[in-house]
Amino acid sequence: MPEIQNYMRSLRRSHEARTRADRPSSFTLRGREWDLLDDVFAPIYSPSTGVALDFLGWSEPVEVPRSGSFLEVGCGTGVIAVTAALAGCDRVVATDINPQAAANARLNASRHGVAERFRAVQGDLFEAVPAEERFDLIFWSSNYVLAPSGYQYRSMHERAYVDTGYAAHRRFLDQATGWLAPGGAALLHFSSRGDLAELRRAADETGRDLRELRRVVVQEGQDEVDHMLLQVLAA
């Protein structure tokens, strides 16, 4: 296993980001201010949220216009979901297994004046989304580092960094396309910190294809990390 994929490194990064003395209660990203609650993934300590905004075309204060419905899985602070609403999506749902993250996303929706088109719910992947809802765009910037199946999470925060046995990824691959409106797209933000070969095996086993739409190399400390935007398709 390449050192960049070592899950213990990612767990150390999680611990440091959660406990550092200078962790703020708000931060600036792409020209906007955002609230940050305790035990929620902090975009200031990782480039992944900024990369996701780039992938979606929402990097500038004047974003690429969007319409329709948007679902973000694993919303964290809600930066991406709130930006979707600011870009013009008329119905935005943000979901996270961490109740603090769902609360954080609601705070940021109110801060940026989009609460009337925005709903944040607490649940694992799609479990808190009503069964009848469908979306034009589903997006997950995933916890792409593979941890052993037997690893026991020590905090909610760790779930934002690693996925045990790729159990969550398998369920996302299996379920995501079923939540799409006609013509919709399910997108997964992955990186070389994760095991792409194992992800593709999971896709095969769940009857899914993965189409790479975009890729960018980001310098993260001493590591060069490939970030990928993948579309999940029914095989």
Side-chain angles (χ1 to χ4, degrees):
M1 173 191 296
E3 181 61 19
I4 196 175
Q5 295 179 357
N6 186 325
Y7 80 99
M8 293 300 297
R9 286 185 65 192
S10 290
L11 292 175
R12 286 194 294 271
R13 292 174 70 222
S14 168
H15 178 75
E16 291 165 3
R18 185 170 65 92
T19 61
R20 55 189 296 166
D22 61 348
R23 181 183 167 99
S25 59
S26 65
F27 62 95
T28 302
L29 182 65
R30 303 298 170 91
R32 293 192 173 101
E33 289 292 317
W34 306 91
D35 290 304
L36 175 63
L37 298 182
D38 294 341
D39 291 326
V40 178
F41 178 86
I44 52 175
Y45 301 134
S46 168
S48 60
T49 302
V51 171
L53 291 171
D54 291 342
F55 279 158
L56 293 168
W58 297 333
S59 296
E60 302 299 328
V62 178
E63 297 87 354
V64 176
R66 292 278 185 175
S67 61
S69 52
F70 179 81
L71 170 64
E72 183 185 12
V73 172
C75 65
T77 56
V79 168
I80 294 167
V82 169
T83 303
L86 290 168
C89 291
D90 50 36
R91 178 169 57 91
V92 176
V93 177
T95 180
D96 202 296
I97 195 171
N98 183 351
Q100 280 283 87
N104 205 152
R106 285 191 288 271
L107 280 176
N108 281 317
S110 295
R111 173 189 274 266
H112 292 288
V114 295
E116 75 284 353
R117 290 181 283 122
F118 187 96
R119 189 169 85 255
V121 295
Q122 186 270 323
D124 188 4
L125 296 180
F126 304 98
E127 71 175 9
V129 182
E132 69 277 6
E133 288 203 58
R134 296 294 180 268
F135 299 89
D136 299 305
L137 184 61
I138 296 172
F139 179 76
W140 183 27
S141 186
S142 76
N143 52 346
Y144 33 67
V145 177
L146 175 62
S149 297
Y151 178 75
Q152 298 293 314
Y153 293 110
R154 295 171 297 178
S155 70
M156 276 289 183
H157 197 270
E158 288 188 344
R159 292 178 180 270
Y161 281 78
V162 304
D163 181 16
T164 56
Y166 275 177
H169 283 79
R170 287 175 183 274
R171 284 184 286 116
F172 181 83
L173 293 171
D174 183 51
Q175 298 171 19
T177 57
W179 293 89
L180 291 174
L187 305 180
L188 175 67
H189 174 194
F190 199 74
S191 93
S192 56
R193 291 191 186 277
D195 189 331
L196 183 58
E198 184 61 29
L199 181 72
R200 291 196 179 280
R201 277 192 287 273
D204 288 342
E205 291 168 6
T206 54
R208 300 291 180 258
D209 286 334
L210 295 175
R211 176 186 298 165
E212 184 177 313
L213 302 180
R214 295 189 64 185
R215 180 183 289 249
V216 65
V217 178
V218 178
Q219 191 70 37
E220 301 182 19
Q222 297 182 340
D223 299 321
E224 279 194 350
V225 180
D226 282 5
H227 288 260
M228 295 152 266
L229 182 65
L230 307 173
Q231 184 175 3
V232 180
L233 301 163

